[in-house]
Structures are given as structure tokens and as C-alpha cells.
Amino acid sequence: MNIGIIGAGSIGLLFASYLSKAFSITLYTRTIEQAEEINQNGILLQKGEIQSRIIVKAFPLSMWKGTEELSIIAVKQYQLRPIIEYLNKLDCIPKNLLFLQNGMSHLALLEKVDAAAILVGSVEHGASKINSYSVRHNGEGAVNIAVFKGKSTTLSEFAQACAEIHFPLTIKEDYYQMLVNKLIANAVINPLTALLQVKNGELISNTFYFSAVKKLFLEISSILNLEDPIKKFRDIINICKKTGDNQSSMLKDVKAGRKTEIDSILGFLLDEGAKQQKTAVNIETYYLLLKGKEQTRGEVK
Amino acid sequence: MNIGIIGAGSIGLLFASYLSKAFSITLYTRTIEQAEEINQNGILLQKGEIQSRIIVKAFPLSMWKGTEELSIIAVKQYQLRPIIEYLNKLDCIPKNLLFLQNGMSHLALLEKVDAAAILVGSVEHGASKINSYSVRHNGEGAVNIAVFKGKSTTLSEFAQACAEIHFPLTIKEDYYQMLVNKLIANAVINPLTALLQVKNGELISNTFYFSAVKKLFLEISSILNLEDPIKKFRDIINICKKTGDNQSSMLKDVKAGRKTEIDSILGFLLDEGAKQQKTAVNIETYYLLLKGKEQTRGEVK
């Protein structure tokens, strides 16, 4: 099976590295320079003490024709809009598109995309991009995939092959539940850790932070009309425990002065709240403080 | 006039330095070691490029008999309780006591103090303690003083002498208004700058932070039942402009891993809100996040 991967950030590089064991991978990058570097060096995958070099073909995005059996779109939510405009100008209608964005605000965009099947996924692997062709796999985690629109003839075959190369993924029936579960954890852990500049575990070990976690969760639960909030809250505690020593992706983004995913996470929840005429003071405040962090990034302090 | 100054932090050292030009000053310190260092070295006062050495007598607090014409209590609000217990065990009833704490939660404590006159003050000088006997005067500001209880025969004489040595202070009629004005600015600027780790000016130059400032101010205004909120809000903007390049005292405390004055500022407002059965989601959240910062101080990250 031919697979195209669009975007060579940490998740794009990680997927390209692992999936190349079973599939013919083409990686599409934002810049010509990055494609050249990957073609020259391969992808350097660091996992614990082991480093491996994986040879994949790389091209700039403009070479993507959408003809692969499966295309995995691994860009950030805020980079999605031009990709979708590009997609809709392709000569062919793509077969299977898999979108791996965090949050849920991209779903509205996906409604406008033409493809035989549109899949969405949530990725719980920990990965850091080291340079344009190197990625560190910090921690194994689940990959969940669900059909968002259309009918995929490829998905079960894809999942089967992934299991054989020990890069397992789980097919979920209900894309909304799948994404909501990830969203809830992201919406609590990411903004708080990024604002407080603490590791995930501190949100539960620090009693005051834990009170703030609860208050934020209650607003999220109300907006999402969660049926079993206690279970969902326990899930968050478990993630904080299990990833206690990790820095959340948003904390890393803020520290590195990068744009964050705050719009697709808390921004989405604020939009949902507005539709239901629910106020969410904490969500609103955390949203403002993180947008403020984005506004000052790159400024000399 | 003999003046006793209790507490040799930045404000205690600053007041001792300036007031010694007109008065006989005795400085009472928390530790014997600090008293010895001040007796040996004098106080080193740094202002801009100019450094001066001021000779004052220093003793540990246990030597304080409360017999000075005026005693200035320049400890933090959270250090006040043992001082007041000490005061109430003195053999004599002190004449004039001037309390310089931030916030307003100390007023309840002052009700229990016996003295001919109890004065409260708000200090807007910028000062940093460099070591146990050195202080840097970062910026000149107002000193406002008002009678809280009793009748002071010394206050106008004191103010007159302070004017002559160019360390002016203003006598205010209404202690509550005076402290509220300082509280409002402290309650907005301190928690936000300490949490976001930014200088005062960024709260108004960053449009998202400025929205957060407005939301927090509205809750404070509601709890304090402000009569002229627009004027008070303009005052805050002006302080942020005027002190744009300064770090707030709470930001400095958080950076240095010290206890902050959050209890006497936002803690006081939460208590006031509870009395009036007003919810204050932002105040509550900022309180929790700053208390959390205090909880982790000194911990290895």
C-alpha cells in the first residue's frame, strides 16, 4: 500500500519512520529544504538509547497529487486550512484521508473535503522533533482511528499491517467520543501546564493546582454535556499520573515560542459554550492568558 | 523624635535610611545576626549610581519595648500575627503605631491592638533588599498615611519633618479608601504579572492580557462595590504605564521562591465576596494558581 504523509513535524516523522516497515511512504514537507535534508539523511529516529536511520522519499507539498491509497495529514490544526484548499484543487478525488489533528475545531473544515473516506485519529505517542529530519520517540501510546465520513475499504487492512509491525492502532466506532476523550484531557492538562510551566504530574500533586483542575474540568464537562463526568475526571488523573514527568505539548510550544493549539482546544470549547449560551469563565480566562503568551512569543523580554 | 522600625526587609531598610536624616531611628530585626550586620556595616542605600552608608542602631525584636514616640511596623502581612501578640504583652501601651502592610486583611488584626493611636500607611516606593543590610531604591513613589484608630498627636509633626528631608508623605482622611485604592491595583497587577511572569507594562500592551485584566477588575469592582469603577480602572492603566518596566513585588516573590502576599490581597477579596455571597471565579482561580506557586517554591523542578 502506498501512503502519503503530509507534514514532517514530530508526528509526521514518527509515523513515516514506523510505517515504512510495512508500506511505501512518501513524505510531503512544507519546504523544499526539509525534503532535501530528509532525502539526504533519511529520518533519524531516536528511541531510548537506540538510534535508527530510515530511508523515505520526501517531496515538497506542491508535488502531492493525492493519488496514494491513504494520505495521512499530520499538520497542526492551525496549519490545516491551506492544506484543505490545496486538496480541493487536486485533479483526483483522494481515496482515504486520515487527519491527526488535536482538538475538534478541524471537524467543521473536514465537512468541506471531498474524498472516498475521511478518517480522524488521535495519537497518544510522545514525540519531539529534534531537527528537520530527526525525531525522538519519548513514549509509546495509543493511536485511535475512526471513520468521520464515507466508507473506507482500506482501514482494516491498514490496522492489520500496523499490528504486524508493532505500531498498533485501534479502530473506534464513534469518532466524536474518541475525539472528545482526547479533547477533555488536552483541555485540562495543556493550558494549565503551559501557563504554570509545570510537568503534568504537578497538576495532581499540588493541592491548589488540583483544585484549579477540578474547576476547569467542571466547565468543560458542562459544555460537552458529559454523561459520565466522574469516569472522565478519573481518566485525567490517570493520565497526569502516568505522564507525571512529561511536559505537555502546549508547555513545550510556549517554552519554544511556538504557536500553540489553544484555538482548536479551548477555542473550540468556547464556541460550543456560546452555541449553548453557557458561560465558562475559567475556559475564557485560560484562553486569554494562553493567547497572550502566543502574542508575546519571540518578543525580547 | 525617637522612631522604632520593626522589620528590616526592603521597606524597613528604606524607611530607616531616609528617616534617619531627621529622627533617631532604632531598627528591630527578626534575627540577632541581621542586627549585628547592620550595626557593623550600617545600611547601604543604593539609588541609581549613588551609594550611601547610613548608621542606625539595630537590635533583635526581643529588645523592643514599644517606648518610642512612633513605631513603624514594616513586616509583611503574613508575619504580622506574632508581632501583634508580642505588642500586646509589652509593659507599656505604645503611643503611635504605623502599620505599612499591603492588602487589607490585617485590619481585622489591628482591631485587637492597644495603642494611643494606630495609623495605617500605603507605600508606593519601589525598593529591593539586596542583602541583610543593603537596599536598592528603585523608584520614588507616594507614602500615604491615615489614622485607623485613636488620635495621633504626632502625625502632623512627623509629616512636616518628612517633607523637610524630601521623603514626603501625605495624610489621608479616609484609611479605607486609601487602602482600597492600593488594594485594587495590587489585586490586578500582582497576581497576573506573577502568574504570567511579565513586567507590569505587558498587562496593557498585550491585548489578550488586557482582556484578562478587565475581567479580573470587574470582579474586584463588584466585591468592593466601587462607586467610580471607570476612574479606578484608569488608575490601574496609569500605574501599568508608569511602572511598565518594573517587576511587581509578587512576581519577584514568586521568582525568588518566597511566600507571596496573595492571602492579604486576593484572599481578602474572596472573604469579602463570601460575606456578600458574590461569586468571583477569576479571583478564586488566580488565588489557587498563586497558592500553588507558593506550595511548589523551593521544590526541585
Side-chain angles (χ1 to χ4, degrees):
Chain A
M1 192 195 295
N2 291 324
I3 295 182
I5 296 179
I6 288 83
S10 58
I11 295 298
L13 291 171
L14 189 79
F15 271 63
S17 305
Y18 281 97
L19 296 184
S20 67
K21 291 179 196 166
F23 307 99
S24 167
I25 302 291
T26 310
L27 189 53
Y28 297 95
T29 62
R30 195 167 55 83
T31 65
I32 299 179
E33 291 73 20
Q34 190 182 9
E36 282 170 359
E37 289 195 77
I38 293 170
N39 286 325
Q40 266 170 31
N41 302 292
I43 298 174
L44 285 188
L45 172 68
Q46 182 90 40
K47 192 183 176 198
E49 296 298 299
I50 298 162
Q51 199 177 54
S52 26
R53 181 192 300 272
I54 297 108
I55 305 302
V56 299
K57 301 183 295 284
F59 297 102
L61 178 66
S62 58
M63 301 289 282
W64 182 38
K65 303 291 169 222
T67 50
E68 288 90 352
E69 186 70 22
L70 169 67
S71 298
I72 301 176
I73 291 91
V75 302
K76 300 271 187 188
Q77 189 276 335
Y78 52 78
Q79 298 164 324
L80 203 53
R81 207 171 285 273
I83 304 277
I84 287 177
E85 284 167 15
Y86 182 91
L87 249 173
N88 284 337
K89 284 183 199 150
L90 289 174
D91 291 334
C92 70
I93 290 177
K95 290 176 197 162
N96 294 279
L97 296 176
L98 167 58
F99 289 87
L100 294 182
Q101 286 64 43
N102 271 325
M104 294 180 74
S105 59
H106 58 300
L107 296 182
L109 288 175
L110 301 193
E111 294 285 0
K112 299 175 196 157
V113 175
D114 248 352
I118 295 181
L119 313 170
V120 288
S122 83
V123 179
E124 286 162 21
H125 287 278
S128 310
K129 184 174 167 180
I130 299 164
N131 62 31
S132 56
Y133 58 90
S134 307
V135 62
R136 191 169 52 231
H137 192 178
N138 300 318
E140 291 188 4
V143 177
N144 297 311
I145 296 186
V147 175
F148 172 69
K149 212 171 74 172
K151 196 170 159 58
S152 174
T153 49
T154 318
L155 182 53
S156 56
E157 182 197 337
F158 177 57
Q160 177 68 31
C162 285
E164 283 164 18
I165 57 171
H166 306 293
F167 190 70
L169 54 88
T170 307
I171 299 172
K172 297 281 183 182
E173 284 303 305
D174 183 339
Y175 78 87
Y176 184 85
Q177 276 310 319
M178 179 189 84
L179 292 182
V180 152
N181 285 343
K182 181 93 190 286
L183 177 77
I184 297 167
N186 276 335
V188 171
I189 297 171
N190 271 322
L192 276 167
T193 52
L195 182 63
L196 296 165
Q197 310 255 313
V198 297
K199 291 177 179 169
N200 296 353
E202 221 173 303
L203 296 186
I204 53 172
S205 66
N206 183 305
T207 50
F208 294 104
Y209 293 164
F210 190 57
S211 296
V213 162
K214 281 187 265 186
K215 283 173 186 290
L216 175 56
F217 174 79
L218 285 174
E219 290 187 1
I220 295 167
S221 173
S222 155
I223 286 177
L224 294 174
N225 304 296
L226 296 185
E227 280 173 16
D228 191 354
I230 293 171
K231 190 196 164 302
K232 297 280 191 257
F233 190 66
R234 283 207 197 105
D235 290 345
I236 293 177
I237 295 177
N238 285 333
I239 294 172
C240 287
K241 276 185 190 157
K242 213 175 129 188
T243 64
D245 216 36
N246 289 8
Q247 300 193 0
S248 75
S249 60
M250 199 174 285
L251 171 56
K252 286 190 230 166
D253 287 341
V254 165
K255 277 181 156 181
R258 287 191 297 258
K259 194 168 161 62
T260 73
E261 295 185 298
I262 196 72
D263 274 306
S264 54
I265 297 173
L266 294 191
F268 170 79
L269 288 169
L270 286 177
D271 290 344
E272 288 299 301
K275 282 180 205 161
Q276 302 171 53
Q277 299 184 296
K278 286 179 181 163
T279 53
V281 178
N282 276 302
I283 296 177
E284 224 170 78
T285 292
Y286 289 125
Y287 178 80
L288 288 173
L289 300 184
L290 268 303
K291 290 300 285 182
K293 289 264 173 202
E294 283 189 352
Q295 193 172 84
T296 54
R297 74 201 157 106
E299 273 180 24
V300 181
K301 292 273 165 75
Chain B
M1 191 194 299
N2 291 325
I3 295 183
I5 296 179
I6 287 83
S10 58
I11 294 300
L13 290 171
L14 189 80
F15 271 63
S17 305
Y18 282 96
L19 296 184
S20 66
K21 291 179 196 167
F23 306 99
S24 166
I25 301 291
T26 311
L27 189 54
Y28 297 95
T29 62
R30 195 167 55 82
T31 65
I32 299 179
E33 291 73 20
Q34 191 182 7
E36 282 170 357
E37 290 195 76
I38 293 169
N39 286 325
Q40 266 171 31
N41 302 293
I43 298 174
L44 285 188
L45 172 69
Q46 181 89 41
K47 192 182 175 198
E49 296 298 299
I50 299 163
Q51 199 178 51
S52 26
R53 181 192 301 273
I54 297 108
I55 305 301
V56 298
K57 300 182 295 285
F59 297 103
L61 179 65
S62 58
M63 302 289 282
W64 184 38
K65 303 292 169 222
T67 50
E68 288 92 352
E69 186 71 22
L70 169 67
S71 298
I72 301 176
I73 291 92
V75 302
K76 299 273 186 186
Q77 188 277 334
Y78 52 79
Q79 298 163 324
L80 202 53
R81 207 172 284 272
I83 304 277
I84 288 178
E85 283 166 16
Y86 182 92
L87 249 173
N88 284 337
K89 286 182 200 148
L90 288 175
D91 290 335
C92 70
I93 288 177
K95 290 176 197 160
N96 294 280
L97 296 176
L98 167 58
F99 288 87
L100 294 183
Q101 286 64 43
N102 272 325
M104 295 180 74
S105 60
H106 59 299
L107 296 183
L109 289 174
L110 301 192
E111 294 286 358
K112 299 173 198 159
V113 175
D114 247 355
I118 294 182
L119 314 169
V120 288
S122 83
V123 178
E124 285 162 21
H125 287 279
S128 310
K129 184 174 167 179
I130 299 165
N131 62 32
S132 56
Y133 58 89
S134 308
V135 62
R136 192 170 49 231
H137 192 178
N138 300 319
E140 291 188 3
V143 177
N144 297 310
I145 297 186
V147 176
F148 173 69
K149 213 170 74 170
K151 197 171 158 59
S152 176
T153 49
T154 319
L155 183 54
S156 56
E157 182 196 335
F158 176 58
Q160 177 69 31
C162 284
E164 283 165 16
I165 56 171
H166 306 293
F167 190 70
L169 52 88
T170 308
I171 299 172
K172 297 282 182 181
E173 284 303 306
D174 182 340
Y175 78 86
Y176 184 86
Q177 275 311 316
M178 177 188 85
L179 292 182
V180 153
N181 284 344
K182 181 93 190 286
L183 178 77
I184 297 167
N186 276 335
V188 172
I189 297 170
N190 271 321
L192 275 168
T193 52
L195 182 64
L196 296 165
Q197 311 255 311
V198 298
K199 292 177 177 169
N200 297 354
E202 221 172 303
L203 294 186
I204 54 171
S205 67
N206 183 305
T207 50
F208 294 104
Y209 294 165
F210 190 57
S211 297
V213 162
K214 281 186 266 185
K215 283 172 187 289
L216 175 56
F217 174 79
L218 285 174
E219 290 187 1
I220 295 166
S221 172
S222 156
I223 286 178
L224 294 174
N225 303 297
L226 296 184
E227 280 174 17
D228 191 354
I230 292 170
K231 189 196 164 304
K232 297 280 191 255
F233 190 67
R234 281 207 198 106
D235 289 345
I236 292 177
I237 295 176
N238 285 334
I239 293 171
C240 287
K241 274 185 191 158
K242 213 175 132 188
T243 64
D245 217 34
N246 289 8
Q247 300 194 0
S248 75
S249 60
M250 198 173 285
L251 171 56
K252 285 191 229 164
D253 287 340
V254 164
K255 277 182 158 181
R258 288 190 297 259
K259 194 169 161 61
T260 73
E261 295 185 299
I262 195 74
D263 273 306
S264 53
I265 298 171
L266 294 192
F268 170 80
L269 288 169
L270 286 177
D271 289 344
E272 288 298 301
K275 282 181 207 161
Q276 303 171 51
Q277 298 183 298
K278 285 180 181 164
T279 52
V281 179
N282 276 303
I283 296 177
E284 225 170 78
T285 292
Y286 290 125
Y287 178 79
L288 288 173
L289 300 183
L290 268 305
K291 290 299 285 181
K293 288 264 175 204
E294 283 189 352
Q295 193 172 84
T296 54
R297 75 202 156 106
E299 274 179 23
V300 180
K301 294 272 166 76

